[in-house]
Structure formats: structure tokens, C-alpha cells
Amino acid sequence: MANKELDSVLLVAWKTVSRKIFRNIILAVAVALLVSLLVFALLFNRAVNDDIEAASRKLGADLVMVPADAMAMAEEFILESKKKGFYMDREVYDVVKSMPEIKAATYQIYLETLEAGCCSIVEGQVVAFDPATDFVISPWFSTPPPPLRQGDVYIGSYVYEYLGLIKTATLFNHKVNVVADLDKTGTGLDHGIFMRVEDLDQISSKATGKYKPGEISIIFIKLNEGVNLNEFINKLSILFPNIGMMSRGSIGADVRSTLEDITRIFSITILISSAMAILLAWSTFTALTNERKREVGILRAIGAHKSHIMKMFLSEAAIISLFGGILGIVIGNFLIYHLSTKFNLLSKLGAYASLSLLNAGYSFAAMLAGIAVCLIGAAIPIIRLARLEPLLAIKED
């Protein structure tokens, strides 16, 4: 019986909505814009946060050490794949690797390529590393790669796409053999060309720019289980006051701060849009209820309850906002998937919103929020109409 009553209410509501189609389309569009903004804000926020978390997690290190004045540059390479060159004395690594708190330590040296005609590798960051101690690069091969010999290099996924089928290229005016490529990591490793530290002896000082023998760029550290990270950082700070340190959780702090500012802007915009949608729903249903007072008075006179009147009008609001919500989901997802490259923060990080159940859940939640906003605005005039006495409703018409 309840199902039949609901079906009849929805049928009447649908007929009424279709009768004033233009006015209702305006309200549906307002809800769609609100929902699309919510969808975009939620997916934007998630895409950036996911990329930061993935980048810090995929490094495989609990702690990163770099020159204090190069912390921002190191973070940019880790997160944004930007070419960087900064250096500190290798003695720092020699001291750190033997400390009892450390389970494993490795280092890398960042160099820059020079353009030298056809087949030069210029679309990446050259990274010299020690294969014997490495735990940052080696996990990113789908199959065990061949060991590096003199003149061999590994390349990141982006550089692999850039080189295409070329297996022999020029690096620092020397021929190198590309022997393996890393899986896509979503970090600066995708833009890397990885060579042995020993091969630096074969490169002229002019080609390597600011780099000098005996220097390194960055140290990656894994701690033994049970070691207090903060206490160990304090210990290192006393030993090396001119060395900066980034823990896994602190990587991306500046980006997170920027994201918080963007989120505040989104929140203010969403609040303003919600207020406008509520006012538009209130205005639309105020006009609608004024037009149908006589109809409501007659329904009440022949036995309709207040709850019946409210169900009928709220069903109309729900139908309008449902169409607006669906349209908003489509618009919001279109924006995040097709226009996100226009946003500097997303493009620099290489972040993107993927199709997933969680993203679908965010979209559905945004639609429910849009429907709720519309119902709130519509409820005020609907409640007032439902409370009118039947005879007064008929006379006021």
C-alpha cells in the first residue's frame, strides 16, 4: 500500500515538474553547478593528497638528508620531476651509514644533461647512484634488470616514452646503452636517467657543471625498527647543523599548505553557491506554492493530510535536484579528468584523478549534498503552505 502511495505521489510530482519545465530547469542548473563544484573540489583535493602520499611512500626511506639550502629543490624533484643540482660533502654519508640506528642508507648525485645533437638525452634528470646500496630505484623494475656495466643506464618511464625505440643515446657527449626502464612511479624517478657513480670518472668536469668529485646530492635512510624518528633527527641536527632533513610525513608540506589555501577558497565558493541555490529554491517554490494554494486547499478539504502535501511538493524538489545532481556529477568529473592539466599544481605533481569506487562515492556524496540544499530551500514555503487551513488557502487564491 505504501509503495502505491509513493508511486502516485511521484507520478503527480513528475507531471507538475514537467508542466513548468523552464523554471525548473533553472533550479536544476543551479543545483548542477553546486554539485559540479563539490565534485571538482573533492576530487582535486584527493588527487593532490594521493600523489603526495604516494611519492613519500614510494621513496622507501624513513628520512631524507639534503643540504639545508636545497630542501625546497629536493622536494620539487621528489614530487614534481624538476631538474635539480645541489651538493654536500660525501663525508656526511660516510658518517651516517655507520650509525647504529640505521638499517640501510644510500645516496644519489643529481646532474643535468647538456644538449648535444641527435639522440641526446635532454628530457630528464641524470642521477648517479650506487647499485650496491640502492633501495630507492631497484624496487621499480617489473623484472630484475641486468646489472649496470660501464656505459649502461636505466631510465624512468617518462624518459623511456621520450626515447621511443632508441637503445643507444648520447649522455654528456658519451654513448650510453639503455639496458632497462623503470615502471611508472608517479614521482621524480619517472624523469630520471640512472648511471653508476663509478662512471662519473669518465665525464669531464665541464660536462657535469657544478658537480665536483667527493660530493653527493641526497641521502636516503631506513631506520631500524623501534628507533624514534624525532629523536634521531635531533641527533643528526646536532651532528650536521647545515644539513636539512625531511621525514616521510613532512615531504610535501609546502604543497599541502597551498592545498589548504585552495581548499579554503573552494569552501567559501561552495558556501556562497549553496546559499544562492537555497535562495533560488526558496524563490522557485514560493512562487509555485502561491500559484497552487487553491489546489492545496481543495486537496486538504477532501481529506489530504499535511504530510501528503509536503510529500508531493518535496518530491517535486527532489526530482528537480536529482536531475541537477546527475548533471553536476557529469560536469564535475569532466572538469577534473579533462581540464586538470590546466591547473599548475596538478600538472607539476603529475597528479590525476582516477576512476575508482572512492571517487564514485565522493561524486554520489556531492549529489546528495546538492539535493539536500535544494530541499532545504524548498521546505520553507512548502511547510508554510501545508500549515494553511483549507478554507483560507482557497480564499487566498
Side-chain angles (χ1 to χ4, degrees):
M1 190 71 179
N3 288 336
K4 288 183 178 180
E5 181 183 343
L6 179 61
D7 290 342
S8 62
V9 168
L10 291 176
L11 182 61
V12 172
W14 171 248
K15 288 181 178 178
T16 307
V17 168
S18 59
R19 197 184 307 156
K20 297 284 185 179
I21 191 68
F22 180 74
R23 181 171 61 189
N24 294 330
I25 283 176
I26 294 175
L27 179 56
V29 169
V31 174
L33 293 176
L34 172 61
V35 172
S36 64
L37 182 60
L38 276 168
V39 170
F40 183 84
L42 290 170
L43 298 188
F44 181 97
N45 191 297
R46 181 170 181 248
V48 175
N49 272 316
D50 283 358
D51 193 81
I52 294 171
E53 292 300 325
S56 58
R57 187 172 60 251
K58 289 172 182 177
L59 287 175
D62 299 309
L63 185 64
V64 174
M65 299 180 68
V66 294
D69 57 356
M71 287 184 67
M73 289 191 290
E75 189 172 76
E76 282 181 346
F77 174 70
I78 291 170
L79 294 176
E80 303 174 20
S81 305
K82 285 190 173 182
K83 295 181 185 178
K84 296 296 171 187
F86 46 87
Y87 307 102
M88 59 182 168
D89 200 305
R90 186 197 158 100
E91 288 183 2
V92 176
Y93 172 74
D94 294 333
V95 172
V96 166
K97 70 178 181 180
S98 60
M99 297 178 74
E101 295 92 342
I102 291 179
K103 179 180 180 180
T106 190
Y107 67 92
Q108 295 177 355
I109 302 170
Y110 296 157
L111 307 166
E112 290 190 17
T113 61
L114 300 176
E115 190 169 1
C118 175
C119 303
S120 293
I121 305 177
V122 296
E123 293 296 315
Q125 171 79 59
V126 180
V127 179
F129 76 108
D130 182 3
T133 61
D134 172 66
F135 56 82
V136 177
I137 299 166
S138 55
W140 293 105
F141 294 99
S142 52
T143 57
L148 287 178
R149 296 185 174 87
Q150 184 175 339
D152 292 344
V153 296
Y154 300 144
I155 56 175
S157 61
Y158 177 85
V159 181
Y160 177 75
E161 293 173 4
Y162 169 77
L163 285 177
L165 299 176
I166 298 173
K167 292 299 181 184
T168 302
T170 302
L171 180 64
F172 295 127
N173 295 323
H174 286 77
K175 293 291 183 181
V176 294
N177 299 314
V178 178
V179 296
D181 56 283
L182 282 66
D183 295 335
K184 185 174 178 61
T185 70
T187 71
L189 297 180
D190 293 336
H191 285 239
I193 302 108
F194 306 98
M195 60 183 292
R196 301 186 312 168
V197 172
E198 297 94 312
D199 290 346
L200 287 175
D201 295 338
Q202 309 298 318
I203 302 170
S204 69
S205 58
K206 181 179 180 181
T208 54
K210 297 179 181 179
Y211 168 74
K212 297 176 183 178
E215 294 179 328
I216 60 175
S217 296
I218 190 167
I219 301 171
F220 297 95
I221 296 171
K222 279 185 179 180
L223 298 178
N224 285 314
E225 189 174 348
V227 174
N228 185 291
L229 178 61
N230 292 327
E231 291 179 1
F232 185 65
I233 289 175
N234 290 335
K235 180 178 178 179
L236 289 178
S237 298
I238 295 171
L239 288 174
F240 307 107
N242 295 323
I243 300 299
M245 280 160 279
M246 294 184 291
S247 64
R248 182 180 296 180
S250 67
I251 292 174
D254 290 341
V255 178
R256 286 190 177 97
S257 178
T258 301
L259 184 61
E260 288 177 3
D261 292 338
I262 293 173
T263 300
R264 291 190 190 99
I265 295 172
F266 275 139
S267 299
I268 294 170
T269 307
I270 288 168
L271 286 174
I272 294 172
S273 299
S274 298
M276 292 179 65
I278 288 173
L279 289 172
L280 185 57
W282 174 82
S283 174
T284 300
F285 277 85
T286 295
L288 190 149
T289 54
N290 286 336
E291 292 171 2
R292 296 169 60 186
K293 280 183 180 179
R294 181 177 177 81
E295 174 189 337
V296 170
I298 293 171
L299 289 173
R300 291 291 310 281
I302 61 176
H305 297 292
K306 293 179 182 178
S307 60
H308 294 145
I309 303 302
M310 290 188 63
K311 285 178 184 178
M312 182 174 67
F313 282 91
L314 287 176
S315 295
E316 295 177 23
I319 290 172
I320 295 169
S321 57
L322 178 62
F323 280 109
I326 293 172
L327 179 60
I329 288 177
V330 173
I331 295 173
N333 278 276
F334 175 84
L335 289 174
I336 196 67
Y337 291 119
H338 298 284
L339 301 182
S340 58
T341 54
K342 304 297 182 183
F343 290 85
N344 195 39
L345 185 62
L346 283 179
S347 60
K348 284 199 303 182
L349 288 172
Y352 64 96
S354 58
L355 292 171
S356 66
L357 287 176
L358 186 57
N359 282 4
Y362 281 144
S363 297
F364 184 70
M367 183 180 72
L368 291 181
I371 292 174
V373 164
C374 182
L375 292 178
I376 290 170
I380 302 170
I382 291 172
I383 292 172
R384 188 174 66 244
L385 178 63
R387 287 177 175 175
L388 280 178
E389 291 297 326
L391 291 178
L392 287 176
I394 295 171
K395 286 179 179 180
E396 285 188 21
D397 188 66

